[in-house]
């Protein structure tokens, strides 16, 4: 049999390796931009707040409003979001509802990372922390007017 010189074999392996790397990078990038269905338990007041923000800032949907908040959260001081205790329902009856929304894969990963890093009990609670911050302390113009994600719209 005819043997290819080692440098040709190395070049072929490098090209194949780069191709695989490119494909996995492309898939990861695509996953970031793929909307994932999710159902999160949030307070009824959070849904009312989101509906109010959708109207005030002319946001196309509650899903888009939540995605804007998650994008904002990725740049925000995480201690403000996840360390400071805020509770809109302390001493009152909790009234949780399921919020069915679509968020990007990268945003779901961010919520999972924050849940782990800040030892938050559930993914739902992680999202509620962001909603509590937005409702109680956040700069609403900063959160809902500033466009952070050109590809996420």
């Amino acid at each position: 049999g005819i043997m290819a010189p080692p440098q040709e074999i190395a070049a072929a392996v490098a090209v194949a390796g780069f191709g695989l790397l490119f494909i996995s990078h492309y898939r990861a990038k695509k996953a970031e931009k793929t909307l994932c269905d999710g159902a999160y338990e949030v307070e009824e007041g959070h849904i009312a707040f989101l509906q109010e923000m959708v109207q005030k800032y002319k946001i196309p949907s509650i899903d888009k409003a939540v995605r804007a908040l998650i994008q904002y959260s990725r740049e925000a001081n995480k201690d403000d979001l996840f360390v400071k205790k805020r509770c809109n329902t302390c001493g009152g009856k909790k009234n949780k509802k399921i919020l069915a929304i679509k968020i990007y894969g990268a945003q779901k990963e961010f919520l999972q990372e924050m849940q782990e890093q800040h030892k938050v009990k559930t993914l739902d609670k992680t999202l509620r922390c962001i909603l509590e911050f937005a409702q109680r302390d956040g700069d609403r113009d900063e959160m809902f007017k500033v466009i952070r994600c050109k590809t996420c719209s």
Side-chain angles (χ1 to χ4, degrees), residues 73-146:
S73 301
R74 293 173 81 167
E75 299 170 8
N77 178 337
K78 308 304 180 273
D79 285 355
D80 284 349
L81 295 166
F82 301 105
V83 176
K84 182 178 176 185
K85 295 266 184 269
R86 288 177 190 84
C87 186
N88 280 340
T89 55
C90 289
K93 188 167 87 66
K94 290 178 177 9
N95 200 356
K96 292 194 177 75
K97 298 268 186 267
I98 296 294
L99 179 65
I101 50 170
K102 290 181 186 298
I103 62 174
Y104 290 99
Q107 294 180 321
K108 187 171 183 176
E109 285 171 21
F110 168 76
L111 290 177
Q112 290 164 335
E113 283 169 26
M114 293 303 100
Q115 180 188 354
E116 280 177 37
Q117 281 177 28
H118 297 281
K119 296 174 180 45
V120 181
K121 280 185 189 152
T122 64
L123 210 55
D124 297 14
K125 177 66 178 165
T126 307
L127 182 59
R128 287 198 304 272
C129 288
I130 292 171
L131 291 168
E132 288 287 328
F133 170 82
Q135 195 172 5
R136 306 269 304 256
D137 297 333
D139 176 337
R140 292 173 183 187
D141 283 351
E142 179 69 21
M143 292 183 293
F144 295 107
K145 264 189 181 173
V146 176

Side-chain angles (χ1 to χ4, degrees), residues 9-27:
I9 293 170
V13 168
V15 168
F18 178 76
L20 288 173
L21 190 70
F22 176 78
I23 288 166
S24 67
H25 176 75
Y26 174 77
R27 283 197 180 131

Side-chain angles (χ1 to χ4, degrees), residues 47-60:
I47 296 171
F49 165 71
L50 288 167
Q51 287 167 334
E52 185 188 326
M53 295 302 101
V54 161
Q55 287 186 327
K56 181 177 179 184
Y57 292 98
K58 297 176 179 38
I59 302 167

